[in-house]
Amino acid sequence: MSELALSKYRRLVVKVGSSLLVDDTGHLNRSWLQKLADDVADLATAGHEILVVSSGAVAIGSSVLGINKQRARLEDLQAAAAAGQVQLVHAYQECLGLHNIVAAQVLLTPDDTEDRRRFLNARRTLEKLLERSVVPVINENDTVATIEIRYGDNDRLAARIAQLVMADALILLSDVDGLYTADPGSSDAAEHIPVVTSINPETLAMAGETRSAVGTGGMATKVQAASIAMHAGCSTVIASGVIPNPLRALDDGARCTIFHASATPAAARKQWLAGVLEVRGELQLDDGAVKALRDGNSLLPVGVVAVSGNFRRGDVVSLKNVSGIDIGRGLAEYSEEEATRLAGLQSDQIEEALGYRGRAVMVHRDELVLFDND
Ligand code: GLU
C-alpha cells in the first residue's frame, strides 16, 4: 500500500472526466463504468462515503442528437446535456444497482454552492443521501447554467462539493496521472510530481494549459480545484482513470499527485467561520445551551434567550452567553425574524410557530465555532 491508501479517508468525492467515460464517437464506456462502480461498492462496504461528480452529459448527448461539439452553440450543448444526462445517470444507476447501491442524481449550478442559503440546502440534501448509503451522482445543471454563470468544468464543481460536504479527499480521475513539471505530451523532460504541500505560482505555471480532446478542464482547473479543496481541509488526488478499477489501483499505489491539506475539514470550516468579518446578528444563549455547545451539540431554539440584528438563513451570527460575552460564531439556520419567533421554544413547537415544518436546530454543530473565552 502506498502513502495514499484510501482507507484513511472517510468521505471521498470522486470526479470522473468525460474522456474516461465516453469514447471519441460519444459512446459510453460501460465496462469501465462498471469497474468504477465495483470500486465504489468496495469502498462503501469498507465504510467510506462516496460522492461521484461525473461529466459526460454533453459528450453523450452530442452523439445522441448528432451535434458537432466543435461547431455547436451554447444552447446546442445545453440541449445535448439534457439528452446525455439521462443516459449518463441511468448507466450509473444500473452499474451501482448491481451492488444494490442506490444512485441519486443531483444537478447544481454555481449559485447552489456559492450562495450560503442555497449551500445549506444542497448540503443537507447530500447529507441525507449519504446517511441512507445512497451514492449521489452530481453534475452541473448544464441546461440552465449560462456562460456567465456556469462552472464550465467539473473539476471546480467537484472541489466545491468536497467543501460543501466536508469531504476529506477529492479524487480527480482523468487521462493524466498527475502534475508534471511541464506538459508531458510535448516535453520529454517533464517530471512527475508525487506530492504538493502548497500551491504557489510555480505550481500554477507547471499546470499550464494541458487539455484533453473530450473533457473540458485541463491541468489548470485541476490545480485550482486542489486549491479550493485544500483550503477546506480536503486533500486532492490527481490520478489516471485510464485503467480498469482506477480507485483500487490508487489504493494499491498507482502513480498520482496528492495535494495534502494541512488541516482537517472540520478545523478548516471552524477557522473560516472564526475569521468571517461580516457578522449579521446575535443569538444570546442560556447557560444550558452554552454547555450543550461545548459538549459538541447543535444549538436548539430552546436555548436561545434573545435574538438581534438583521440576518437571513445562512448568514453568520455571533453567539453570546447570558453575560453578553461573545463565545463563538455560527451559520444561522433561520432568519432573524424566524429565530425571534422560535427563541425559547421546544423543537416540537417549531411547526406551530412557523406554520411549516422547519428545521430542528438554530445553528448546526458543523456550522459553528466556539472561542475559548468563558
Ligand atoms: N457538465 C459537463 C458534462 O457533463 C462536463 C464539464 C466537464 O467536462 O468538466 O458534459
Side-chain angles (χ1 to χ4, degrees):
M1 290 263 165
S2 70
E3 185 207 358
L4 177 70
L6 295 178
S7 55
K8 64 176 177 253
Y9 302 111
R10 187 181 66 89
R11 184 171 281 186
L12 297 100
V13 174
V14 179
K15 185 257 169 175
V16 180
S18 297
S19 62
L20 300 174
L21 264 179
V22 188
D23 66 18
D24 296 344
T25 60
H27 288 102
L28 187 98
N29 186 344
R30 186 66 178 229
S31 58
W32 183 88
L33 181 59
Q34 187 58 60
K35 291 201 162 20
L36 179 79
D38 298 346
D39 286 359
V40 168
D42 283 349
L43 287 166
T45 308
H48 302 271
E49 294 172 321
I50 318 285
L51 300 96
V52 176
V53 174
S54 183
S55 305
V58 172
I60 297 170
S62 298
S63 98
V64 172
L65 301 182
I67 289 171
N68 178 338
K69 264 183 77 187
Q70 265 59 46
R71 291 211 303 264
R73 291 170 182 276
L74 178 65
E75 52 269 35
D76 293 320
L77 296 177
Q78 290 179 304
Q85 179 65 25
V86 193
Q87 301 207 358
L88 179 66
V89 91
H90 184 55
Y92 273 96
Q93 185 187 37
E94 287 186 344
C95 292
L96 289 167
L98 277 187
H99 296 279
N100 293 321
I101 295 176
V102 176
Q105 171 180 264
V106 178
L107 297 176
L108 297 171
T109 60
D111 271 359
D112 299 316
T113 57
E114 309 305 297
D115 175 294
R116 281 211 293 271
R117 275 161 282 282
R118 293 171 69 167
F119 175 102
L120 284 178
N121 296 341
R123 175 157 179 197
R124 296 286 173 261
T125 306
L126 291 170
E127 291 286 350
K128 285 293 162 201
L129 291 170
L130 295 174
E131 260 172 40
R132 288 171 169 71
S133 304
V134 172
V135 172
V137 180
I138 304 162
N139 198 354
E140 180 158 13
N141 193 351
D142 289 311
T143 52
V144 295
T146 57
I147 209 133
E148 318 78 56
I149 58 153
R150 68 185 182 141
Y151 279 107
D153 69 84
N154 276 359
D155 296 322
R156 282 173 302 168
L157 172 63
R160 288 296 186 206
I161 298 296
Q163 181 185 40
L164 191 81
V165 298
M166 294 168 67
D168 36 25
L170 165 65
I171 299 178
L172 301 174
L173 293 179
S174 71
D175 50 7
V176 283
D177 60 4
L179 180 65
Y180 285 77
T181 50
D183 181 355
S186 53
S187 161
D188 287 344
E191 278 174 42
H192 181 263
I193 301 171
V195 177
V196 176
T197 47
S198 74
I199 294 175
N200 51 34
E202 208 192 330
T203 325
L204 293 170
M206 285 190 268
E209 286 300 317
T210 332
R211 293 209 155 269
S212 100
V214 186
T216 311
M219 191 49 75
T221 63
K222 291 184 180 34
V223 173
Q224 283 168 22
S227 169
I228 295 169
M230 279 167 97
H231 281 110
C234 174
S235 295
T236 300
V237 180
I238 298 179
S240 170
V242 191
I243 39 170
N245 301 105
L247 298 176
R248 189 186 301 166
L250 260 182
D251 208 27
D252 289 344
R255 177 138 101 161
C256 65
T257 297
I258 173 154
F259 296 73
H260 276 299
S262 51
T264 62
R269 176 71 58 105
K270 287 186 192 296
Q271 198 184 3
W272 172 79
L273 266 171
V276 168
L277 296 176
E278 218 184 332
V279 175
R280 298 279 183 159
E282 289 176 13
L283 299 176
Q284 191 167 40
L285 321 185
D286 65 19
D287 291 340
V290 174
K291 178 166 184 323
L293 262 48
R294 295 240 177 255
D295 289 344
N297 298 301
S298 296
L299 174 64
L300 301 179
V302 69
V304 177
V305 292
V307 178
S308 61
N310 181 8
F311 58 91
R312 299 203 292 157
R313 171 166 153 79
D315 283 340
V316 176
V317 291
S318 131
L319 307 173
K320 307 239 166 192
N321 67 11
V322 274
S323 324
I325 295 172
D326 203 3
I327 59 153
R329 302 256 183 284
L331 283 194
E333 287 283 347
Y334 284 104
S335 68
E336 174 249 322
E337 194 246 331
E338 290 166 322
T340 305
R341 271 195 268 163
L342 297 180
L345 298 188
Q346 298 289 342
S347 296
D348 60 6
Q349 298 173 296
I350 293 178
E351 184 164 2
E352 203 190 322
L354 294 179
Y356 68 92
R357 187 93 192 268
R359 288 162 291 274
V361 304
M362 199 76 111
V363 178
H364 192 275
R365 60 170 183 266
D366 289 343
E367 312 288 4
L368 64 84
V369 58
L370 295 177
F371 308 140
D372 298 319
N373 61 352
D374 71 337

